[in-house]
Amino acid sequence: MTTSTNISALRNPNRVLIRLDAASKSFHLAGREPFHAVKAVTLEVREGEIFGLIGKSGAGKSTLLRLFNLLERPDSGSVTVAGRELTALGKRELRAARQQIGMIFQQFNLLQNASVFDNVAFPLRIHGHLDRARIAERVAECLELVELGGKADSYPAQLSGGQKQRVAIARALASGPAVLLCDEPTSALDAETTRALLKTLRDINVRLGVTIVIVSHELSVLGAICNRVAVVEEGAIAEQFSLADTGTVRKTALGRELAAHHGAPFGQQRGVPNIVPAFEANAWQEEIHA
């Protein structure tokens, strides 16, 4: 299976696919001081990477992720994906550019009254470029990829949490994106289902060359799947590093904690429980008592 732009064949690990340049985002609440969720972040993600964003609750990591596809538009700075500066595009051009960026969410965001087939077909019908036969073919391809080929006629209420998230992944892949954004994709799942979902994401990355950016509060999730990570603190990037780089002393407590999770299968990190949220990890305690 190939994406619509044959990303697998064009994959270049040295190419910067996503770049944020001094991107900031604030929220203005009535009667309160502005809340600065993202502060002048400059960040690069290379083609074919699995890149992780981790931080405490309220650190700004999910808001930062939503800048990548302009679900949240930055107040200042720029966002560039696959060579196109999204922040400079008009509405029509932005809609077209977003076809190269899929996204999945913690709560799946499926259409409850639509079948699995219709959920996956939804973005293809909106863009209107394919006929019915090609839509059916593409939906079947995506469902097979996430091992749900026999569930096309089922409805979300008939599915487990893991199956719902796989439908969401299939829908996100339907338009053949170069990038898949994942906002806490495993936080509603048990450990066994999380392990299976991570395997699916890794397979998508390897087979299709899709670049993945994943936000998670689970250190073991990022340690099991990511090539590089950025630690987000108070809306800024405190540090970013390759998980394969074990010789550099990490600047942050979360960075040091995360290093202990790299390279081991999910749930088998040096005797640590299956899921270790950032807010329960030693790093959190270390920062409180620093």
Side-chain angles (χ1 to χ4, degrees):
M1 176 182 169
T2 58
T3 65
S4 60
T5 54
N6 198 16
I7 289 296
S8 299
L10 299 175
R11 181 172 177 172
N12 178 357
N14 296 316
R15 178 193 179 202
V16 173
L17 190 64
I18 303 169
R19 177 175 173 80
L20 275 66
D21 191 4
S24 297
K25 179 66 181 181
S26 298
F27 295 97
H28 300 270
L29 305 175
R32 300 183 184 181
E33 292 293 319
F35 174 66
H36 304 293
V38 178
K39 303 173 184 176
V41 167
T42 295
L43 185 68
E44 292 182 348
V45 179
R46 292 190 289 270
E47 186 171 20
E49 281 192 311
I50 302 180
F51 190 93
L53 296 171
I54 193 165
K56 305 174 194 176
S57 178
K61 55 190 183 296
S62 288
T63 302
L64 176 58
L65 185 74
R66 292 166 72 89
L67 297 185
F68 283 46
N69 60 356
L70 264 59
L71 283 184
E72 295 288 354
R73 181 174 285 272
D75 302 319
S76 60
S78 64
V79 178
T80 302
V81 178
R84 303 192 72 184
E85 185 183 334
L86 303 188
T87 39
L89 299 180
K91 290 183 178 180
R92 181 175 298 179
E93 293 173 309
L94 180 59
R95 280 196 298 271
R98 280 177 172 157
Q99 293 183 51
Q100 283 293 295
I101 311 171
M103 190 168 189
I104 60 174
F105 304 86
Q106 176 180 351
Q107 297 301 328
F108 320 128
N109 288 15
L110 299 180
L111 302 171
Q112 295 301 309
N113 294 325
S115 68
V116 166
F117 180 96
D118 288 332
N119 267 281
V120 178
F122 183 73
L124 300 175
R125 289 169 174 159
I126 285 180
H127 297 307
H129 300 313
L130 303 179
D131 60 26
R132 292 180 62 181
R134 181 61 186 124
I135 288 175
E137 180 182 356
R138 182 62 181 162
V139 169
E141 290 174 350
C142 292
L143 289 177
E144 286 296 331
L145 181 65
V146 298
E147 301 179 344
L148 287 178
K151 295 292 185 179
D153 295 328
S154 299
Y155 285 79
Q158 299 171 306
L159 304 177
S160 67
Q163 289 172 330
K164 290 176 183 177
Q165 193 60 285
R166 288 171 183 271
V167 174
I169 292 172
R171 180 180 60 188
L173 294 175
S175 60
V179 177
L180 179 62
L181 306 179
C182 307
D183 191 3
E184 299 278 8
T186 63
S187 61
L189 307 179
D190 60 41
E192 182 177 354
T193 306
T194 292
R195 191 177 296 110
L197 189 70
L198 293 180
K199 181 178 181 297
T200 297
L201 290 175
R202 190 180 296 110
D203 186 50
I204 289 166
N205 172 256
V206 171
R207 290 175 56 190
L208 304 183
V210 173
T211 301
I212 296 175
V213 183
I214 178 170
V215 165
S216 181
H217 66 274
E218 297 165 7
L219 292 169
S220 47
V221 166
L222 298 188
I225 195 173
C226 290
N227 309 116
R228 289 197 305 133
V229 297
V231 178
V232 183
E233 293 183 349
E234 297 182 349
I237 302 297
E239 67 172 329
Q240 54 182 308
F241 54 89
S242 166
L243 285 173
D245 178 9
T246 58
T248 303
V249 177
R250 299 294 155 228
K251 299 177 182 177
T252 65
L254 276 179
R256 292 189 290 274
E257 190 75 13
L258 184 57
H261 294 264
H262 175 58
F266 175 78
Q268 299 180 23
Q269 287 85 357
R270 303 185 187 182
V272 182
N274 278 350
I275 297 178
V276 183
F279 54 78
E280 291 181 0
N282 292 339
W284 175 253
Q285 300 171 359
E286 182 180 335
E287 289 192 356
I288 289 177
H289 297 295

